[in-house]
Amino acid sequence: MVKHIVFFKLKENTKEQQDLLKEKLLSLKENVPVLKNIEVGINFSNNERAYDLALLTDFETIEDLNIYANDPYHQKVKEFIKEVTISSKVVDFEY
């Protein structure tokens, strides 16, 4: 199994923006067949190192992760992400 984790820092860290991004990210589950599991969490910490949202996804293989990365629906969501975020960080690992 492969875990893909992404942290997002929003341009405008409002509840509306958090909820909208969470909704867009969760829509990936119904639209990208290789995606096995998805979780989206909104940060509540005031720590200066904290990011605003976390995306956790699971895939059977690294190949499936690559399919996901190039999926047309995922690409549309990524375009939205680019509009509303100032930065992101990623971690990918096998487990």
Side-chain angles (χ1 to χ4, degrees), residues 2 8-9 22 32 46 50 57 68-70 82 86 89:
V2 172
F8 301 100
K9 181 76 76 173
K22 181 176 181 176
V32 183
N46 291 324
T57 52
Y68 163 81
N70 295 300
K82 288 177 185 177
I86 55 175
K89 301 290 182 186

Side-chain angles (χ1 to χ4, degrees), residues 13 43-50:
N13 189 25
N43 177 52
F44 61 82
S45 171
N46 291 324
N47 188 301
E48 66 183 38
R49 298 182 316 147

